[in-house]
Amino acid sequence: MVVGGSSKLLKALNEAAALGFLLDRGRLTRAELKQLTGLSKPTVSEAVRRLTEAGLVVVAGEETGRPGPNAEVYAVDADAAYAVAISVRDTAGSGAPSVTAALHDLRGERRGRIARPVDFTRTDPVAAVGETIDALCAAADVGRGPVAHVHLAVAGAFDPRDRVIHHVDVPGWSRPGLVDDLARAAGAPVEIDNDVNLAARAERAHGAARGAGAFALLWLGAGGLGLAIDLGDGRLLRGARGGAGEVGYIPMGTGDFHALVGPEAVAALAAEHGAGSAAYLGALAERITPGLAAVVAILDPPLVVLGGETGRAGGAPLAEAVAKAMARAAPLETAVVASTVDDDAPLLGAADAAVLAVRETLLRSTRAPSDR
């Protein structure tokens, strides 16, 4: 029994090693897998055979132009599992999409995307998510069965202790038991994360924070303010209850930071000075500075990225204006840049997280001994 169990475990680990390199590198021959894994040629061949029979790996072509017979090139089966990302916003009455969703395959390629308005005063979140996944799979022309993970971006703080979303303005999303109900409706594990944290994930992978160490993302969005704190290498400061980064509540004299640079205040500034004008950018920078100076004084990040609709619209000129205002007001020097993610950043971050979760689940299942 011990010998048999050890043999099965060894085979599972070999399969996981081969699958891991195929997920990371894309397309590989058995010779390349042998070199990368350090396994023998027969062991690699057996691992590839078992992964192919399990529906995780396919022959993607042949390598020609070398002495000897053509070598088969292997790749993960993109349709073996799908990841779904969903971004939820409170856009009631605006006519704008309140739910945006994307489906990605195992290789990380986006296979479909939809955006739809949902009135959450009339529609339960569980029904909305289930219908969104159905519509997304239909738009991508794929079955729902392989959906293996759903990652939701929500403007709120998810507390893992009570599994409840706090500080969320979208109706119905703060009720106890919702996350477990969503998982049952989705037929797959569901993970919830703050939208600004996911935007920071996208900024590190695809935007202005690529190659940076620690950084802070100040989100100046149409739905409000937020702050994500990346401690380096993608590790995020979440707080004891998932509420780190709620900078809108920072007291500012007679009001708070939200009163200074929230969407209503920004709209009033744009009406007064003209959106995009030098006067508007200067006035907005002066309003951003007190709250950002408090963040910098506490965290001392080497880089601050301005994101969200307001940050993206202001672009480099707004970042430069904020940097100048910060140099006068803040005790610590910090670089300030504009976001360069030209997609829906929370949705993109959720998609990255969902694809990674699906791959990690597959690798864990592959490492476990089976009867194959």
Side-chain angles (χ1 to χ4, degrees), residues 215-216 292 296 301-306 319 323 326 332-338:
F215 74 96
L292 186 55
V296 169
L303 175 68
V304 171
V305 179
L306 302 181
M326 288 287 290
L332 301 172
E333 183 178 347
T334 301
V336 181
V337 300

Side-chain angles (χ1 to χ4, degrees), residues 85-359:
I86 301 177
S87 177
V88 178
R89 296 181 176 88
D90 182 13
T91 59
S94 69
S98 48
V99 174
T100 308
L103 183 139
H104 289 244
D105 62 28
L106 191 53
R107 296 178 188 171
E109 296 177 4
R110 190 168 75 191
R111 301 284 290 274
R113 177 170 173 166
I114 61 171
R116 53 200 296 260
V118 176
D119 183 354
F120 283 109
T121 63
R122 299 171 178 267
T123 305
D124 183 77
V126 176
V129 168
E131 291 166 4
T132 296
I133 296 173
D134 286 339
L136 181 62
C137 290
D141 195 24
V142 301
R144 183 166 170 171
V147 171
H149 186 90
V150 179
H151 210 101
L152 286 110
V154 178
F158 177 63
D159 189 339
R161 300 177 308 172
D162 60 12
R163 295 181 60 76
V164 171
I165 306 170
H166 300 276
H167 310 298
V168 59
D169 293 330
V170 186
W173 283 83
S174 61
R175 72 170 174 82
L178 173 64
V179 178
D180 294 330
D181 290 343
L182 288 172
R184 282 190 286 271
V190 170
E191 192 167 348
I192 310 285
D193 206 347
N194 174 263
D195 57 349
V196 182
N197 282 341
L198 289 168
R201 182 179 187 126
E203 202 69 54
R204 171 169 290 286
H206 310 283
R210 278 181 295 185
F215 74 96
L217 172 66
L218 179 60
W219 187 262
L220 305 162
L225 306 180
L227 181 78
I229 305 140
D230 186 308
L231 301 172
D233 300 326
R235 292 177 296 116
L236 295 169
L237 178 64
R238 299 181 180 278
R241 292 166 292 276
E246 295 289 342
V247 291
Y249 298 115
I250 296 177
M252 293 286 165
T254 58
D256 56 21
F257 194 31
H258 185 275
L260 282 180
V261 291
E264 299 85 359
V266 170
L269 272 182
E272 180 181 354
H273 298 289
S277 68
Y280 161 77
L281 294 174
L284 180 56
E286 291 295 333
R287 290 194 177 194
I288 290 171
T289 296
L292 186 55
V295 170
V296 169
I298 295 169
L299 298 175
D300 189 20
L303 175 68
V304 171
V305 179
L306 302 181
E309 290 85 353
T310 300
R312 286 279 298 150
L318 176 61
E320 291 170 7
V322 171
K324 289 179 181 178
M326 288 287 290
R328 297 190 298 268
L332 301 172
E333 183 178 347
T334 301
V336 181
V337 300
S339 168
T340 58
V341 174
D342 56 5
D343 199 348
D344 183 323
L347 184 69
L348 185 58
D352 286 351
V355 170
L356 180 61
V358 170
R359 290 179 172 184

